[in-house]
Amino acid sequence: MVGDFSSAPFVVIADDWGRHVSTTQHLFRRILPTHDVIWVNSFGHRRPQFTVYDMKRAVAKVARMVVPPRVEPVTETADRPRCVIHPKALPWHNLAWVQQFNAASVGREIRRALRQVAPGRAPVFVTATPLGGDLVGSLGECASIYLCLDDYDQLPGVERNLLVPFEERLLRRVDATVATAAALTESKRPLSGRVLHLPQGVNYGHFSTSRTLPAELAALPRPILGFAGGVGPVIDRSIIHALGAAFPQASIVLVGMHQETIDPAAWPSNVHFLGARPYGELPAYVQGFDVGLVPYVHNQHTRSVDPLKVLEYLAAGIPVVSTGLSEVRKYQEVVYIADGAEAQVAAVAAALRHDDPAQRLRRQAVAAAHTWEQRAGQFLAFIEQVVGDRTPPHR
């Protein structure tokens, strides 16, 4: 029923549940105890290529498609959605007949899950991908939300011409947009005009609780200048090279996957590529950094990026040095902001000189004010307003 939110289930189209601990998953893990959630795994944002990585992903996805969704029992300590759907969808989204097939196929699966999980209850439909737009209005939802985490016009590795038409159609249909960056609240404003800026949060206890230093960090020379995240086009390599030269006694540690096109041998000898680490182990690495780095380039993409790692570094209590991204500047009282290689070197030197227990507590206090629990509360309050104000759509 339109206007009734207290018992509304959520239908969420996002990334693959459990594959990575993403923004959307962080948010909905805090919503699971109070609302039933039906989770729809990714459709894919680009056409598959004939690479080993894409072929493995394709085989894994096809294998999951034949497994029927399982409805989990209701518990007060839910740690996964009531139902996870592996959508029977095709990746060639530019073809009209594929769009029609996907909307019919995925919509049918969602409605079946709703009959099992929440019979008679109108869901809140949340899509974290433009590809969910064709389902708006087809699920009997009490509200539809675009959870916008990136600027798909500029996101590296995404087919702009493929996704932008979907996003334009979605913005004409949804009741509201929730965006992680202030810039996105302007560029992704829906036709309804309703938008919420919801910055990234932090799993505070996970990163602030003291951990044992990993052996591979203990073996490295100090200080350790660390970065936790994917190593790709977003990294300003000139900064890493300048830090490597300015601090030859230091270890520059990159914890995260790096693109196949990156050759570690071409980087300074004191740069260490450790690869990705499980989320459960990540705080031990972050706490082992003497400085946490956010050496991002300035471009149209990063203009709309709110890096998760900033609050994770702060929760660990470590000094943070970042380039002057718009979304990082809101923490400038506890973050060193520096643009350009020379300024970054000076900022790292200052961060190493002035670190002390009082500064660590100050950083942690800032992080503690921006937890995922708080973000989930803001998100739910906004949706309750949208549901309450919503009138039956005329589309």
Side-chain angles (χ1 to χ4, degrees):
M1 182 174 70
V2 172
D4 182 14
F5 175 66
S6 61
S7 63
F10 280 84
V11 172
V12 183
I13 300 181
D15 51 339
D16 291 358
W17 180 266
R19 184 166 176 262
H20 297 297
V21 186
S22 64
T23 295
T24 312
Q25 293 185 39
H26 276 303
L27 189 62
F28 275 91
R29 285 181 188 276
R30 277 71 185 177
I31 294 173
L32 291 173
T34 57
H35 290 263
D36 292 325
V37 175
I38 295 169
W39 190 274
V40 183
N41 282 345
S42 171
F43 293 6
H45 282 162
R46 59 183 177 82
R47 286 166 284 203
Q49 307 295 315
F50 288 101
T51 65
V52 172
Y53 176 80
D54 278 8
M55 293 302 102
K56 285 182 177 179
R57 286 290 310 279
V59 169
K61 277 191 171 290
V62 170
R64 288 195 294 266
M65 285 181 189
V66 302
V67 179
R70 184 178 70 178
V71 176
E72 300 291 335
V74 177
T75 68
E76 293 182 357
T77 57
D79 61 357
R80 62 174 281 117
R82 290 288 310 281
C83 182
V84 176
I85 294 173
H86 307 290
K88 297 177 176 64
L90 301 174
W92 297 279
H93 305 291
N94 57 308
L95 302 177
W97 71 268
V98 169
Q99 296 172 23
Q100 295 169 2
F101 171 84
N102 287 349
S105 171
V106 178
R108 185 166 52 248
E109 293 182 84
I110 292 172
R111 287 186 286 272
R112 183 184 299 122
L114 282 168
R115 288 193 294 270
Q116 294 179 276
V117 169
R121 288 186 279 157
V124 175
F125 176 53
V126 178
T127 179
T129 167
L131 297 175
D134 287 342
L135 291 166
V136 174
S138 70
L139 304 174
E141 64 267 23
C142 61
S144 55
I145 308 293
Y146 178 27
L147 181 56
C148 184
L149 312 175
D150 275 302
D151 187 349
Y152 289 107
D153 288 14
Q154 306 296 332
L155 191 63
V158 167
E159 295 182 69
R160 182 185 184 279
N161 293 337
L162 181 67
L163 287 185
V164 168
F166 279 91
E167 188 172 61
E168 291 173 347
R169 189 157 68 242
L170 174 64
L171 291 172
R172 290 195 298 268
R173 295 178 174 182
V174 290
D175 294 307
T177 292
V178 175
T180 51
L184 294 174
T185 66
E186 297 301 324
S187 63
K188 310 302 179 183
R189 185 174 294 272
L191 187 62
S192 70
R194 299 205 67 149
V195 65
L196 172 68
H197 179 204
L198 190 75
Q200 300 282 15
V202 65
N203 190 349
Y204 180 76
H206 190 58
F207 283 89
S208 64
T209 302
S210 182
R211 312 295 178 103
T212 301
L213 183 67
E216 57 191 332
L217 291 191
L220 293 175
R222 290 232 173 232
I224 292 177
L225 315 179
F227 173 82
V231 182
V234 76
I235 299 294
D236 187 334
R237 290 183 58 170
S238 70
I239 290 175
I240 301 298
H241 282 267
L243 292 174
F247 301 98
Q249 79 286 3
S251 301
I252 301 173
V253 172
L254 308 179
V255 180
M257 294 179 61
H258 65 271
Q259 293 188 332
E260 295 178 0
T261 54
I262 290 178
D263 178 13
W267 293 56
S269 60
N270 55 345
V271 174
H272 305 270
F273 289 78
L274 298 191
R277 292 295 179 267
Y279 182 71
E281 299 176 12
L282 190 57
Y285 286 86
V286 171
Q287 291 172 13
F289 298 164
D290 293 296
V291 175
L293 303 175
V294 189
Y296 282 12
V297 297
H298 281 285
N299 58 28
Q300 283 297 106
H301 169 222
T302 58
R303 176 175 172 269
S304 302
V305 166
D306 186 9
L308 266 171
K309 58 187 61 58
V310 172
L311 285 172
E312 292 172 347
Y313 292 164
L314 293 175
I318 64 172
V320 182
V321 175
S322 174
T323 51
L325 304 180
S326 297
E327 290 298 321
V328 176
R329 289 189 179 278
K330 59 181 175 283
Y331 304 118
Q332 61 187 350
E333 291 186 4
V334 289
V335 172
Y336 291 88
I337 304 290
D339 284 316
E342 185 177 340
Q344 280 273 315
V345 168
V348 167
L352 291 170
R353 282 196 309 270
H354 300 303
D355 191 23
D356 59 49
Q359 293 290 341
R360 289 181 171 250
L361 289 175
R362 186 170 173 236
R363 296 178 199 119
Q364 289 184 312
V366 169
H370 299 281
T371 65
W372 283 116
E373 286 76 14
Q374 291 164 316
R375 294 292 188 252
Q378 294 171 280
F379 182 69
L380 291 174
F382 176 72
I383 292 177
E384 187 170 20
Q385 291 177 356
V386 173
V387 172
D389 294 345
R390 187 177 186 260
T391 57
H394 300 283
R395 297 189 175 97

